[in-house]
Amino acid sequence: MSAWAERHFKWLMVAPAVALILALSIYPLLFSLWVNFVNYDFQIPGHAFVGLQNFAEVVNDPLWWSSLLVTVGLSLTVVTIEFILGLALALAMVEMFRGRGIVMSILIIPLFISPVIVGQSWALFLQRPFGPADYLLSQLLGRAVTISWVGEVPWVYFAIVIADVWQWTPFMFVILLAGLAAIPPHLYEAAELDGVSHLQTFRYVTLPQLAPIILLAITFRLLDSVKLFDIIFMLTGGGPGTATYTTSFYLYQIGFQQFHLSIATAGSWLFLILLAVVIMVVVRRLLRAEAA
Amino acid sequence: MAASRGGWRSGRRNLGAGAARFLVIGLFVIFVLAPLYWVVITSIKPSSDYLTVPPVWFPAQPTIVHYTAALFSYRGLQGLLNSLIVASASTVLSAAMGTMMAYSLARFNTGGQHLAFWVLSQRFLPPVAIVLPLFLLFRGWGLYDTHFGLIVAYTFMTLPLSVWMMYAYFRQLPKSLEEAALVDGLSRWQAFRMVAVPLAAPGIAATAVFVFIAVWTEFFFALILTSRYAFTLPTVFRAFLGFQGAQYGEACALATTSLVPSIILGILVQRHLVRGLTLGALRG
């Protein structure tokens, strides 16, 4: 027995984790593959075979397409802003100064807060007319400002972007800071000796050195931002109307508010396939970075 | 010392650049703290201070009534206890399974790169694609709205994190001590348990904290897989959707209760943050 265990040690060590992933991910995904092609609806009994009808329901729903558009638009916007702010912060924080440790601890706080609370906090902060945001803006601009941050297009998009940027800029910042700190100092010394300007040093030394890490940070964030759900759930509820339905929120509404589970499943498979291509490329790249 | 580096960084000698630096940092610190301050301060405001112009920045008479209301009238206490149970149990399971698998991957290259790749790819699956079928299956398996069901789901959800963080950690540790232990007649399991695990303890501890925070703050799985019994703290916030009836104080009291522990834990392991955020791909 123990000789057998010794011989198969490496497989026994991976067995629990692999078994769990098989049971909770692979099996459910296979199961949902079947759900795709049957009726699975809490409002219609039975699981009759329906062919491609679930997929047809999804792609014929204009809301599905608009949710994809909202998802892509919001993702690109937040990731761009988070990257720019994160890079600016990282450049500002890379050198030592007194109190840097405390500032560092403050800057990373949003990473440890539930997105539900982030959504709720911003809902409260932006609340009209008694939240601090409108009041501070009024003071700043010298005239009364009452913006319906979560009730009106386009302000509602600003509200979502602000909340997401608040939570995830620290992610970019922390990773880019690590990247900056890892750039060999001699490159800067050489540039300085050659009398290269600061801007050129940034363009020809910092950016190329940082490129792989920028790519890593952006792809990580993009893959997570397309799942945007929690902030929508708490801050806008998809509204006004359906203006802020992201794909995850749309599928949640179809599956768990209307209980058309097989339609939602078909939609989530389409979503998965769209993402799978990107995931493959990214994970392979990460793996190469790890092997290097 | 980084300050001695040249190039654009010597811009710190330039007064304008120095001011810009501290402006960027200062503005962002305010941006981070503003909503947090508002939440914490609202949690101790008497109800009469909610709806005023200008806003009350600090209440004349702070109160803790919202905390008792949030914990007892909104079932916040049960959510808190459920979160503690579920997060602790899945942390132990995920860290244990992850450490074992990572050790096997790092030392024996088990399954080549494919197995490691397969685990990592789970991290990027959209939760909605997993949760929909899990919801249907859990109802059949009797796991819906149970602590055990949620623990199992979260253990799965955090496995890529534990496996990859520990994978990176073990690859840094020298093999020689384990090899010496094998020569001394220990079994492979004993070498793992008595030599490798103690050496990796700081890494395991950091990994466990990240897993705990991930579970503590998670919303979507809990929203779908639980209902009246095993619900966790983040799902309690549904009660405050739209803020009807102006339960600002209760909502903020609950938010404060939830965010204080995870912020403290996060700051404790900030040294390992880069590793945690990139699943070990970067060392930081």
Side-chain angles (χ1 to χ4, degrees):
Chain A
M1 175 62 205
S2 113
W4 180 86
E6 193 73 2
R7 209 165 47 244
H8 298 284
F9 176 74
K10 67 175 194 172
W11 292 108
L12 289 173
M13 292 286 274
V14 300
V18 169
L20 190 67
I21 296 175
L22 286 174
L24 280 248
S25 170
I26 305 306
Y27 178 68
L29 283 174
L30 291 175
F31 171 74
S32 74
L33 213 51
W34 168 74
V35 175
N36 278 337
F37 299 100
V38 300
N39 165 63
Y40 209 125
D41 197 308
F42 283 180
Q43 295 175 9
I44 310 163
H47 301 312
F49 181 77
V50 297
L52 293 173
Q53 197 194 317
N54 290 318
F55 291 98
E57 294 272 1
V58 176
V59 296
N60 289 330
D61 187 350
L63 197 48
W64 157 257
W65 296 104
S66 83
S67 82
L68 278 179
L69 201 66
V70 169
T71 304
V72 171
L74 281 175
S75 292
L76 292 179
T77 311
V78 297
V79 174
T80 307
I81 298 176
E82 286 158 14
F83 169 66
I84 293 170
L85 288 180
L87 183 61
L89 262 183
L91 290 171
M93 286 286 288
V94 71
E95 275 181 43
M96 295 297 153
F97 58 88
R98 198 182 307 189
R100 186 174 177 275
I102 293 169
V103 171
M104 194 68 200
S105 301
I106 292 173
L107 292 177
I108 58 174
I109 284 176
L111 293 170
F112 310 122
I113 298 180
S114 177
V116 174
I117 296 176
V118 174
Q120 189 215 255
S121 306
W122 281 101
L124 200 61
F125 199 80
L126 298 171
Q127 191 245 359
R128 182 178 73 161
F130 300 110
D134 281 357
Y135 175 76
L136 292 174
L137 277 178
S138 305
Q139 296 292 307
L140 210 63
L141 300 175
R143 60 185 171 82
V145 176
T146 52
I147 294 171
S148 180
W149 288 99
V150 296
E152 262 174 47
V153 176
W155 301 112
V156 65
Y157 297 114
F158 282 86
I160 295 166
V161 168
I162 290 171
D164 197 85
V165 163
W166 185 85
Q167 178 146 47
W168 295 113
T169 299
F171 177 93
M172 288 282 189
F173 157 63
V174 166
I175 292 175
L176 295 175
L177 183 64
L180 280 181
I183 298 176
H186 67 83
L187 292 179
Y188 290 110
E189 285 150 20
E192 197 167 36
L193 282 178
D194 292 346
V196 180
S197 79
H198 292 167
L199 212 62
Q200 281 178 320
T201 311
F202 179 74
R203 170 70 187 78
Y204 294 105
V205 178
T206 310
L207 275 186
Q209 287 287 314
L210 209 54
I213 283 153
I214 291 176
L215 206 65
L216 178 100
I218 287 182
T219 39
F220 252 88
R221 268 306 296 142
L222 269 180
L223 283 173
D224 279 349
S225 66
V226 293
K227 304 168 187 167
L228 188 61
F229 175 85
D230 307 21
I231 288 176
I232 302 287
F233 189 94
M234 286 310 289
L235 192 57
T236 73
T242 55
T244 57
Y245 269 55
T246 56
T247 306
S248 294
F249 192 80
Y250 167 79
L251 295 171
Y252 167 78
Q253 287 291 326
I254 299 284
F256 296 102
Q257 296 299 309
Q258 302 171 19
F259 290 110
H260 303 314
L261 290 150
S262 48
I263 299 175
T265 304
S268 76
W269 264 95
L270 292 177
F271 190 44
L272 187 64
I273 291 165
L274 286 175
L275 283 178
V277 185
V278 191
I279 295 172
M280 293 288 205
V281 176
V282 170
V283 174
R284 294 266 180 218
R285 182 178 291 280
L286 289 180
L287 217 60
R288 259 213 311 280
E290 180 61 25
Chain B
M1 198 71 173
S4 65
R5 290 178 187 175
W8 56 270
R9 290 177 194 184
S10 62
R12 78 190 190 89
R13 281 191 293 268
N14 174 330
L15 211 62
R21 246 181 90 203
F22 285 104
L23 191 69
V24 169
I25 296 172
L27 284 177
F28 209 85
V29 166
I30 294 170
F31 179 53
V32 166
L33 292 180
L36 290 177
Y37 176 79
W38 191 247
V39 163
V40 174
I41 225 63
T42 305
S43 77
I44 55 167
K45 269 186 201 176
S47 314
S48 56
D49 284 356
Y50 296 160
L51 308 176
T52 58
V53 179
V56 175
W57 298 106
F58 196 86
Q61 283 147 337
T63 169
I64 58 156
V65 291
H66 306 310
Y67 282 85
T68 46
L71 290 180
F72 299 107
S73 308
Y74 290 89
R75 306 179 77 197
L77 189 63
Q78 196 183 338
L80 189 68
L81 291 176
N82 285 342
S83 270
L84 274 175
I85 294 168
V86 169
S88 310
S90 24
T91 299
V92 171
L93 285 174
S94 176
M97 288 183 183
T99 303
M100 286 167 64
M101 179 158 192
Y103 182 75
S104 180
L105 292 175
R107 287 293 184 258
F108 306 101
N109 193 23
T110 311
Q113 297 261 288
H114 298 289
L115 195 57
F117 162 75
W118 180 67
V119 173
L120 183 57
S121 63
Q122 302 294 321
R123 159 71 177 70
F124 296 108
L125 289 177
V128 68
I130 295 292
V131 155
L132 266 160
L134 266 191
F135 168 74
L136 300 176
L137 290 171
F138 268 26
R139 287 162 48 93
W141 295 344
L143 291 179
Y144 177 71
D145 200 18
T146 64
H147 291 103
F148 181 71
L150 201 56
I151 290 166
V152 170
Y154 280 146
T155 304
F156 154 72
M157 182 191 88
T158 54
L159 264 180
L161 175 67
S162 345
V163 169
W164 272 75
M165 267 191 84
M166 290 314 298
Y167 183 40
Y169 204 89
F170 278 126
R171 284 158 53 124
Q172 279 186 316
L173 287 181
K175 292 181 192 178
S176 48
L177 283 170
E178 292 148 44
E179 279 160 2
L182 289 176
V183 172
D184 287 349
L186 266 66
S187 70
R188 289 200 185 278
W189 171 258
Q190 286 168 324
F192 166 71
R193 182 64 197 80
M194 282 145 58
V195 181
V197 168
L199 280 176
I204 299 175
T207 304
V209 171
F210 283 118
V211 170
F212 188 92
I213 294 172
V215 175
W216 183 260
T217 57
E218 206 281 339
F219 175 64
F220 192 58
F221 276 55
L223 174 72
I224 306 294
L225 299 180
T226 67
S227 157
R228 298 169 163 277
Y229 177 68
F231 63 90
T232 58
L233 195 50
T235 63
V236 181
F237 288 96
R238 278 179 300 170
F240 307 113
L241 268 181
F243 293 105
Q244 274 106 11
Q247 303 120 345
Y248 299 104
E250 287 82 352
C252 290
L254 210 60
T256 309
T257 310
S258 164
L259 59 82
V260 166
S262 56
I263 290 176
I264 292 173
L265 283 175
I267 289 175
L268 283 178
V269 291
Q270 64 170 296
R271 217 157 46 79
H272 303 269
L273 188 56
V274 176
R275 213 190 277 263
L277 292 177
T278 61
L279 294 95
L282 283 183
R283 295 228 170 88

